[in-house]
Amino acid sequence: EADIYQTPRYLVIGTGKKITLECSQTMGHDKMYWYQQDPGMELHLIHYSYGVNSTEKGDLSSESTVSRIRTEHFPLTLESARPSHTSQYLCASSETRSPSTGELFFGEGSRLTVL
Amino acid sequence: AQRVTQPEKLLSVFKGAPVELKCNYSYSGSPELFWYVQYSRQRLQLLLRHISRESIKGFTADLNKGETSFHLKKPFAQEEDSAMYYCALSERSGGYQKVTFGTGTKLQVIP
């Protein structure tokens, strides 16, 4: 079944640890995105990708990095986690074909807590 | 720069009452607007888009370019409508889809 998967759903980790949030989609979409969302706040785009080997930074500056080696996979990495990184991270994808509906398809999110 | 404003963080209505979730936007071009919904313990998902001019789960939204608004309405609220609602504006920028979200409105339908 076509879907977008995020793991882990919840992660509690100590300061200074390296973490990777996984995102995979079987939607056949070229475009993928990472949003950061604090409770009660809007979603902020932190990274996006047009396709394989394409990554760009979004509107909100983030210390995280992303990679896109395979079309279906768009992991996000924090080399050294800090309490300020505590947030929910949402992965999304969208269609490429034109005219695009403009719809984003979201994963269930990864809630990160850094102690 | 594009901006989406949802002035209400929380909207409480009684079951059967009309609902209007407000959304205003600022954008210099021709906007493509959406409403997304997140039910408890579920992922964020598209509710409706303005270009479709459709009614989903009894909700409708009309784009008013004069007032730069895209308010979400439903004549009779149901308990299952309780959720977080996000208004979003999409534009094409350099080949990718730039989507800006509002801060969201929590709709609470009181039985």
Side-chain angles (χ1 to χ4, degrees), chain A residues 24-44:
Chain A
S24 296
Q25 52 99 359
T26 55
M27 313 282 285
H29 292 164
D30 283 349
K31 295 185 173 67
M32 296 187 74
Y33 312 80
W34 276 103
Y35 284 85
Q36 184 174 341
Q37 182 185 30
D38 293 322
M41 304 296 286
E42 64 222 87
L43 284 73
H44 290 288

mmCIF file of all heavy atoms in Angstrom, chain A residues 24-44:
data_model
loop_
_atom_site.group_PDB
_atom_site.id
_atom_site.type_symbol
_atom_site.label_atom_id
_atom_site.label_comp_id
_atom_site.label_asym_id
_atom_site.label_seq_id
_atom_site.Cartn_x
_atom_site.Cartn_y
_atom_site.Cartn_z
ATOM 1 N N SER A 24 10.532 7.151 4.791
ATOM 2 C CA SER A 24 10.454 6.411 3.538
ATOM 3 C C SER A 24 9.050 6.512 2.971
ATOM 4 O O SER A 24 8.075 6.482 3.725
ATOM 5 C CB SER A 24 10.798 4.933 3.758
ATOM 6 O OG SER A 24 12.124 4.777 4.174
ATOM 7 N N GLN A 25 8.970 6.602 1.661
ATOM 8 C CA GLN A 25 7.653 6.660 1.031
ATOM 9 C C GLN A 25 7.576 5.701 -0.156
ATOM 10 O O GLN A 25 8.561 5.513 -0.869
ATOM 11 C CB GLN A 25 7.314 8.103 0.593
ATOM 12 C CG GLN A 25 8.362 8.794 -0.254
ATOM 13 C CD GLN A 25 8.078 8.765 -1.745
ATOM 14 O OE1 GLN A 25 7.081 8.213 -2.221
ATOM 15 N NE2 GLN A 25 8.983 9.369 -2.516
ATOM 16 N N THR A 26 6.404 5.111 -0.287
ATOM 17 C CA THR A 26 6.135 4.203 -1.413
ATOM 18 C C THR A 26 5.068 4.808 -2.308
ATOM 19 O O THR A 26 4.290 4.097 -2.941
ATOM 20 C CB THR A 26 5.694 2.826 -0.895
ATOM 21 O OG1 THR A 26 4.561 3.005 -0.015
ATOM 22 C CG2 THR A 26 6.808 2.140 -0.138
ATOM 23 N N MET A 27 5.001 6.137 -2.315
ATOM 24 C CA MET A 27 4.009 6.871 -3.095
ATOM 25 C C MET A 27 4.471 7.077 -4.530
ATOM 26 O O MET A 27 3.683 7.490 -5.381
ATOM 27 C CB MET A 27 3.746 8.245 -2.464
ATOM 28 C CG MET A 27 3.519 8.226 -0.967
ATOM 29 S SD MET A 27 1.877 7.677 -0.525
ATOM 30 C CE MET A 27 0.927 9.115 -0.953
ATOM 31 N N GLY A 28 5.769 6.878 -4.769
ATOM 32 C CA GLY A 28 6.306 7.179 -6.094
ATOM 33 C C GLY A 28 6.519 8.668 -6.307
ATOM 34 O O GLY A 28 6.621 9.130 -7.450
ATOM 35 N N HIS A 29 6.616 9.440 -5.228
ATOM 36 C CA HIS A 29 6.785 10.885 -5.327
ATOM 37 C C HIS A 29 8.260 11.254 -5.427
ATOM 38 O O HIS A 29 9.119 10.649 -4.768
ATOM 39 C CB HIS A 29 6.195 11.589 -4.105
ATOM 40 C CG HIS A 29 4.711 11.499 -4.038
ATOM 41 N ND1 HIS A 29 4.013 11.784 -2.880
ATOM 42 C CD2 HIS A 29 3.788 11.171 -4.974
ATOM 43 C CE1 HIS A 29 2.714 11.631 -3.122
ATOM 44 N NE2 HIS A 29 2.560 11.263 -4.379
ATOM 45 N N ASP A 30 8.545 12.279 -6.226
ATOM 46 C CA ASP A 30 9.915 12.769 -6.320
ATOM 47 C C ASP A 30 10.244 13.770 -5.217
ATOM 48 O O ASP A 30 11.354 13.819 -4.729
ATOM 49 C CB ASP A 30 10.143 13.457 -7.675
ATOM 50 C CG ASP A 30 10.312 12.444 -8.790
ATOM 51 O OD1 ASP A 30 10.459 11.252 -8.488
ATOM 52 O OD2 ASP A 30 10.295 12.845 -9.960
ATOM 53 N N LYS A 31 9.281 14.585 -4.854
ATOM 54 C CA LYS A 31 9.540 15.664 -3.905
ATOM 55 C C LYS A 31 9.269 15.203 -2.479
ATOM 56 O O LYS A 31 8.233 14.594 -2.192
ATOM 57 C CB LYS A 31 8.689 16.886 -4.245
ATOM 58 C CG LYS A 31 9.035 17.513 -5.595
ATOM 59 C CD LYS A 31 8.240 18.785 -5.828
ATOM 60 C CE LYS A 31 8.706 19.501 -7.086
ATOM 61 N NZ LYS A 31 8.413 18.746 -8.302
ATOM 62 N N MET A 32 10.215 15.526 -1.595
ATOM 63 C CA MET A 32 10.040 15.191 -0.184
ATOM 64 C C MET A 32 10.446 16.371 0.679
ATOM 65 O O MET A 32 11.245 17.222 0.254
ATOM 66 C CB MET A 32 10.846 13.941 0.192
ATOM 67 C CG MET A 32 10.359 12.692 -0.551
ATOM 68 S SD MET A 32 11.130 11.171 0.000
ATOM 69 C CE MET A 32 10.334 10.906 1.599
ATOM 70 N N TYR A 33 9.881 16.412 1.891
ATOM 71 C CA TYR A 33 10.029 17.579 2.753
ATOM 72 C C TYR A 33 10.166 17.146 4.214
ATOM 73 O O TYR A 33 9.625 16.120 4.610
ATOM 74 C CB TYR A 33 8.777 18.476 2.665
ATOM 75 C CG TYR A 33 8.298 18.790 1.265
ATOM 76 C CD1 TYR A 33 7.547 17.869 0.546
ATOM 77 C CD2 TYR A 33 8.621 19.990 0.653
ATOM 78 C CE1 TYR A 33 7.109 18.144 -0.740
ATOM 79 C CE2 TYR A 33 8.184 20.279 -0.632
ATOM 80 C CZ TYR A 33 7.428 19.354 -1.323
ATOM 81 O OH TYR A 33 7.008 19.638 -2.596
ATOM 82 N N TRP A 34 10.849 17.973 4.989
ATOM 83 C CA TRP A 34 10.850 17.836 6.445
ATOM 84 C C TRP A 34 10.314 19.140 7.042
ATOM 85 O O TRP A 34 10.790 20.223 6.711
ATOM 86 C CB TRP A 34 12.253 17.580 6.991
ATOM 87 C CG TRP A 34 12.674 16.161 6.948
ATOM 88 C CD1 TRP A 34 13.527 15.564 6.074
ATOM 89 C CD2 TRP A 34 12.282 15.123 7.860
ATOM 90 N NE1 TRP A 34 13.675 14.227 6.361
ATOM 91 C CE2 TRP A 34 12.930 13.939 7.457
ATOM 92 C CE3 TRP A 34 11.444 15.087 8.982
ATOM 93 C CZ2 TRP A 34 12.768 12.723 8.133
ATOM 94 C CZ3 TRP A 34 11.279 13.877 9.655
ATOM 95 C CH2 TRP A 34 11.930 12.719 9.227
ATOM 96 N N TYR A 35 9.327 18.996 7.920
ATOM 97 C CA TYR A 35 8.780 20.120 8.662
ATOM 98 C C TYR A 35 9.064 19.917 10.144
ATOM 99 O O TYR A 35 9.074 18.797 10.639
ATOM 100 C CB TYR A 35 7.259 20.238 8.469
ATOM 101 C CG TYR A 35 6.840 20.802 7.136
ATOM 102 C CD1 TYR A 35 6.716 19.983 6.015
ATOM 103 C CD2 TYR A 35 6.572 22.161 6.993
ATOM 104 C CE1 TYR A 35 6.322 20.502 4.797
ATOM 105 C CE2 TYR A 35 6.179 22.693 5.773
ATOM 106 C CZ TYR A 35 6.057 21.853 4.673
ATOM 107 O OH TYR A 35 5.670 22.365 3.466
ATOM 108 N N GLN A 36 9.254 21.031 10.845
ATOM 109 C CA GLN A 36 9.402 21.000 12.287
ATOM 110 C C GLN A 36 8.199 21.709 12.900
ATOM 111 O O GLN A 36 7.770 22.771 12.414
ATOM 112 C CB GLN A 36 10.697 21.715 12.703
ATOM 113 C CG GLN A 36 10.986 21.638 14.187
ATOM 114 C CD GLN A 36 12.327 22.223 14.545
ATOM 115 O OE1 GLN A 36 13.208 22.383 13.692
ATOM 116 N NE2 GLN A 36 12.518 22.561 15.800
ATOM 117 N N GLN A 37 7.643 21.109 13.940
ATOM 118 C CA GLN A 37 6.455 21.682 14.553
ATOM 119 C C GLN A 37 6.548 21.597 16.062
ATOM 120 O O GLN A 37 6.606 20.502 16.623
ATOM 121 C CB GLN A 37 5.202 20.954 14.079
ATOM 122 C CG GLN A 37 3.919 21.526 14.632
ATOM 123 C CD GLN A 37 2.706 20.723 14.237
ATOM 124 O OE1 GLN A 37 2.792 19.510 14.044
ATOM 125 N NE2 GLN A 37 1.566 21.386 14.114
ATOM 126 N N ASP A 38 6.552 22.754 16.714
ATOM 127 C CA ASP A 38 6.468 22.789 18.163
ATOM 128 C C ASP A 38 4.993 22.804 18.561
ATOM 129 O O ASP A 38 4.148 23.231 17.786
ATOM 130 C CB ASP A 38 7.181 24.022 18.705
ATOM 131 C CG ASP A 38 8.676 23.940 18.459
ATOM 132 O OD1 ASP A 38 9.229 22.835 18.580
ATOM 133 O OD2 ASP A 38 9.291 24.969 18.128
ATOM 134 N N PRO A 39 4.671 22.334 19.773
ATOM 135 C CA PRO A 39 3.265 22.234 20.183
ATOM 136 C C PRO A 39 2.522 23.556 20.042
ATOM 137 O O PRO A 39 2.989 24.603 20.491
ATOM 138 C CB PRO A 39 3.364 21.809 21.657
ATOM 139 C CG PRO A 39 4.684 21.124 21.756
ATOM 140 C CD PRO A 39 5.593 21.842 20.809
ATOM 141 N N GLY A 40 1.369 23.519 19.392
ATOM 142 C CA GLY A 40 0.543 24.704 19.236
ATOM 143 C C GLY A 40 1.068 25.717 18.251
ATOM 144 O O GLY A 40 0.536 26.835 18.152
ATOM 145 N N MET A 41 2.109 25.343 17.541
ATOM 146 C CA MET A 41 2.724 26.299 16.615
ATOM 147 C C MET A 41 2.563 25.807 15.176
ATOM 148 O O MET A 41 2.131 24.692 14.920
ATOM 149 C CB MET A 41 4.210 26.469 16.947
ATOM 150 C CG MET A 41 4.480 26.890 18.369
ATOM 151 S SD MET A 41 3.828 28.520 18.743
ATOM 152 C CE MET A 41 5.013 29.534 17.864
ATOM 153 N N GLU A 42 2.916 26.699 14.248
ATOM 154 C CA GLU A 42 2.787 26.317 12.838
ATOM 155 C C GLU A 42 3.897 25.355 12.425
ATOM 156 O O GLU A 42 4.861 25.155 13.141
ATOM 157 C CB GLU A 42 2.834 27.557 11.961
ATOM 158 C CG GLU A 42 4.169 28.303 12.012
ATOM 159 C CD GLU A 42 3.962 29.797 12.067
ATOM 160 O OE1 GLU A 42 3.809 30.335 13.175
ATOM 161 O OE2 GLU A 42 3.980 30.415 10.983
ATOM 162 N N LEU A 43 3.712 24.768 11.279
ATOM 163 C CA LEU A 43 4.740 23.894 10.706
ATOM 164 C C LEU A 43 5.767 24.765 9.982
ATOM 165 O O LEU A 43 5.406 25.680 9.236
ATOM 166 C CB LEU A 43 4.126 22.944 9.684
ATOM 167 C CG LEU A 43 3.326 21.757 10.192
ATOM 168 C CD1 LEU A 43 1.990 22.166 10.738
ATOM 169 C CD2 LEU A 43 3.144 20.732 9.080
ATOM 170 N N HIS A 44 7.029 24.480 10.209
ATOM 171 C CA HIS A 44 8.097 25.213 9.535
ATOM 172 C C HIS A 44 8.883 24.259 8.650
ATOM 173 O O HIS A 44 9.363 23.225 9.119
ATOM 174 C CB HIS A 44 9.040 25.857 10.555
ATOM 175 C CG HIS A 44 8.436 26.984 11.313
ATOM 176 N ND1 HIS A 44 8.187 28.213 10.746
ATOM 177 C CD2 HIS A 44 8.018 27.068 12.586
ATOM 178 C CE1 HIS A 44 7.650 29.011 11.635
ATOM 179 N NE2 HIS A 44 7.525 28.350 12.772
#
